[in-house]
Amino acid sequence: MKFDNNPFTLTDKSVIIPSDTILERTVLGLMITSPEALEVGMQHLGYSYFPNIDNNNRAIFHAMTLLHNEGINVDIVTVSGKLKELKLFSAVGGVEYLSAIAEEAITYSAIKDYCLKLRDLDLLRKALKVLDGGIETHRKGQVGDVNEYLSQLLRDVTKVAEERRIMDFESLGDIAKDLKAHLEKMQKSGTGRLTGSTTGFIDIDKYTHGFQKDNYIIVAARPAVGKTAFGLSLAYNMAVQNNRTVGFFSLEMGNQQLMQRLVSKVSGVKHKAVMTGSLPSRERTKVYETLENLKHVKLYIDETPGININDLLIKARKLKRENDDLCAIFIDYIGLITTTGPVESRQIQLSEISAALKGLARELKISVVALSQLSRAVEATRDKMPQMSHLRESGSLQQDADLVFLMYREDYYVNQGTIKPVDAMYQPYYDTLERSGNDLDISPVDIILAKNRNGETGNITLLFFKAISSFENPDEQTRQLLMNLQRTHRGSSYKNE
């Protein structure tokens, strides 16, 4: 069959033809640079997916298809040669265009999602073509029997709809193949437990098996409870312990402020001393050594205040393109992200932002961790214990999220006087700390896993070292003490009720 390289057209020129040239370039760039992406593309793409709107991308796909069928490696050199053979090399823009799309390639792991998006655009064009043809038949006065005309139109539209439905199915064989590969990967890891990136927190990993590569995660707390410090501790742990890249969007603090916190956490030098620069010689040496070591940690910070969601997505994709080992993106915090277009209710805006972040996790195959504020309704409860219903401004956060963590710091309320010391669950632990003379100002913080789409929910208790802005695992003795206090407190609560 002769290769048809004509652009997609409609008779009605007033209709904008749906296409996404950037997505086409991305897919072709991935296929030209990655054998894995090439195989996925050959399985899921068709010629009509490239409508040749303001480009000649279909010719590039055609050259790749011929090379693949001939068993020849696909790269810039072989694709250029095949296009020259087909006399289409100059029509596509030559080696400059091929080099440009190759440099724009992000990561082959997302190519299946990209192919499905191109598929949807192709189906939309096919549906418009059917409708365009039906209108043109009417315009030419060629409608005879109306019932037959409508029946034919319905058959043509149904054919397009069925194409989508069939393509959406995956055979059990394909699914089984993917699961087998996943199980083999777990076996090779030697752990048999963690299937995602370790968080550095033992009990969080126990519940989640590590943060998974396509998880959208919400961490919510009231102001001043320590959510930024917790988010930064998570991000640092994931970068160091997995030896992978992590991105951190800080919408509230500048990168110097975050760096001061990180230096304090890692060096053990009090944050106040680092911030003011009043450092004795020994502590100054610790800080300088820490700064030198942090140069090798693959943690990247973006301090754009009030960043637009579209800009955030672009920056995240760029970070992934430049660092294929990206495992997580953190946002501090979701309530400060803005949107474009007309200003609607904040609830609708947050719903759109949340959906975009969930899509980003799936697209880039990373964990996306969004910090969020809890509403003031928490303060009106008797025990101040947060619930998912306290997520601020948007129910879509809890709907979209794969994991929802709610932070509760009891001593915050004890210090405020809204919880009396006699009613405080951890008061015996506070007394122990006071007697020991510990000057790091330690607080137990309950990290409540309120939603876990793929596992159990539960409570994780970590220690917040406020003086150095660090969250840490409690040692086994402290862990047992805190668990016993929790059980005792729950028991007395039941009696009071």
Side-chain angles (χ1 to χ4, degrees):
M1 186 175 75
K2 187 177 178 182
F3 171 55
D4 179 10
N5 202 37
N6 295 315
F8 179 90
T9 59
L10 294 172
T11 305
D12 186 350
K13 303 303 180 186
S14 67
V15 176
I16 297 174
I17 297 172
S19 64
D20 190 334
T21 55
I22 295 177
L23 193 59
E24 292 172 31
R25 287 167 63 103
T26 299
V27 168
L28 293 173
L30 289 169
M31 292 174 67
I32 211 171
T33 56
S34 165
E36 293 90 347
L38 179 70
E39 292 301 324
V40 175
M42 287 297 139
Q43 180 182 355
H44 291 281
L45 296 172
Y47 284 107
S48 62
Y49 287 28
F50 302 93
N52 283 358
I53 306 297
D54 300 324
N55 59 49
N56 209 329
N57 287 337
R58 197 184 308 157
I60 299 173
F61 178 70
H62 179 52
M64 289 181 180
T65 302
L66 293 177
L67 290 169
H68 183 262
N69 292 341
E70 293 166 12
I72 300 173
N73 288 336
V74 172
D75 55 36
I76 291 178
V77 175
T78 56
V79 172
S80 297
K82 181 60 72 174
L83 287 168
K84 289 175 182 176
E85 180 185 320
L86 297 169
K87 296 182 170 47
L88 292 168
F89 187 59
S90 60
V92 305
V95 72
E96 292 83 4
Y97 186 76
L98 294 175
S99 298
I101 64 174
E103 290 175 2
E104 292 169 9
I106 302 175
T107 170
Y108 79 84
S109 62
I111 191 172
K112 185 175 178 182
D113 289 335
Y114 297 155
C115 291
L116 294 177
K117 289 178 182 178
L118 290 181
R119 185 273 319 266
D120 286 346
L121 289 169
D122 177 55
L123 292 175
L124 180 55
R125 287 191 295 271
K126 286 178 178 177
L128 291 173
K129 191 77 170 178
V130 170
L131 299 176
D132 184 61
I135 293 171
E136 185 63 14
T137 299
H138 167 67
R139 183 180 290 119
K140 291 180 177 179
Q142 295 175 349
V143 176
D145 184 274
V146 172
N147 289 323
E148 177 56 32
Y149 169 77
L150 293 175
S151 295
Q152 184 60 49
L153 198 61
L154 181 60
R155 283 195 293 271
D156 291 341
V157 171
T158 301
K159 185 177 179 181
V160 175
E162 287 177 347
E163 184 177 341
R164 173 181 174 82
R165 199 156 53 238
I166 291 170
M167 291 185 70
D168 275 342
F169 282 111
E170 266 191 288
S171 72
L172 285 181
D174 288 338
I175 298 170
K177 181 180 176 182
D178 291 342
L179 179 56
K180 183 180 178 183
H182 174 69
L183 293 174
E184 287 175 351
K185 181 181 178 182
M186 287 176 60
Q187 181 67 27
K188 288 177 182 177
S189 72
T191 64
R193 294 187 298 273
L194 294 189
T195 57
S197 301
T198 179
T199 66
F201 295 116
I202 299 167
D203 288 334
I204 290 180
D205 285 345
K206 182 181 74 173
Y207 279 106
T208 65
H209 306 289
F211 282 0
Q212 305 301 311
K213 63 183 180 180
D214 57 357
N215 271 188
Y216 173 44
I217 301 158
I218 298 294
V219 177
R222 289 293 294 145
V225 166
K227 66 178 180 296
T228 297
F230 180 54
L232 196 58
S233 290
L234 276 170
Y236 174 78
N237 289 352
M238 292 183 73
V240 171
Q241 297 192 25
N242 297 288
N243 191 27
R244 296 182 66 183
T245 298
V246 173
F248 197 102
F249 286 93
S250 178
L251 284 69
E252 198 168 29
M253 288 187 188
N255 54 25
Q256 289 295 328
Q257 290 175 287
L258 281 180
M259 191 63 170
Q260 288 170 0
R261 288 188 174 214
L262 199 53
V263 168
S264 178
K265 168 188 167 57
V266 178
S267 69
V269 176
K270 289 184 180 181
H271 178 232
K272 184 177 180 180
V274 175
M275 187 171 58
T276 60
S278 56
L279 298 166
S281 176
R282 186 177 177 183
E283 291 191 340
R284 186 174 297 276
T285 300
K286 277 186 181 181
V287 167
Y288 286 169
E289 287 177 352
T290 299
L291 285 170
E292 194 61 33
N293 292 333
L294 286 175
K295 290 179 182 178
H296 307 291
V297 176
K298 294 187 282 188
L299 177 57
Y300 294 82
I301 297 171
D302 183 288
E303 62 174 352
T304 307
I307 193 171
N308 182 276
I309 182 61
N310 293 330
D311 291 338
L312 188 150
L313 298 178
I314 290 169
K315 288 187 176 188
R317 289 171 181 138
K318 182 174 184 289
L319 187 62
K320 178 69 174 180
R321 184 167 65 245
E322 295 172 350
N323 302 273
D324 192 48
D325 66 342
L326 181 71
C327 67
I329 288 286
F330 286 75
I331 298 109
D332 183 19
Y333 62 96
I334 192 171
L336 296 178
I337 300 175
T338 61
T339 57
T340 54
V343 178
E344 300 180 80
S345 73
R346 187 55 184 162
Q347 185 171 353
I348 293 175
Q349 286 182 323
L350 267 179
S351 296
E352 293 174 357
I353 291 167
S354 180
L357 293 178
K358 184 175 179 66
L360 182 70
R362 293 192 60 189
E363 175 189 338
L364 300 187
K365 300 294 187 290
I366 61 172
S367 303
V368 172
V369 184
L371 308 188
S372 177
Q373 282 196 6
L374 292 169
S375 71
R376 288 191 180 91
V378 177
E379 316 293 347
T381 62
R382 182 176 63 84
D383 58 4
K384 316 302 179 190
M385 194 65 70
Q387 307 289 331
M388 278 213 293
S389 58
H390 295 140
L391 278 171
R392 194 168 182 176
E393 292 177 305
S394 179
S396 65
L397 296 185
Q398 59 178 288
Q399 287 180 330
D400 293 338
D402 298 288
L403 300 169
V404 175
F405 293 97
L406 307 175
M407 298 176 64
Y408 171 72
R409 201 182 95 208
E410 183 187 63
D411 75 325
Y412 172 77
Y413 297 104
V414 173
N415 294 334
Q416 276 188 341
T418 52
I419 291 181
K420 296 177 181 178
V422 69
D423 296 325
M425 176 167 53
Y426 296 125
Q427 189 58 47
Y429 179 66
Y430 307 144
D431 294 339
T432 301
L433 288 175
E434 189 174 351
R435 287 194 297 271
S436 69
N438 191 296
D439 64 347
L440 289 180
D441 201 1
I442 307 172
S443 296
V445 177
D446 293 313
I447 311 294
I448 303 158
L449 179 52
K451 178 182 179 182
N452 183 1
R453 197 183 298 277
N454 297 310
E456 296 179 4
T457 57
N459 185 77
I460 300 108
T461 305
L462 302 176
L463 296 181
F464 179 27
F465 293 74
K466 289 177 279 185
I468 58 172
S469 301
S470 182
F471 277 79
E472 305 292 341
N473 292 301
D475 60 43
E476 187 57 32
Q477 182 179 353
T478 304
R479 185 172 182 270
Q480 288 300 324
L481 170 62
L482 297 175
M483 288 176 63
N484 289 336
L485 292 175
Q486 289 169 9
R487 282 193 288 266
T488 302
H489 184 77
R490 280 196 295 267
S492 64
S493 296
Y494 291 143
K495 288 177 183 177
N496 291 335
E497 289 174 2

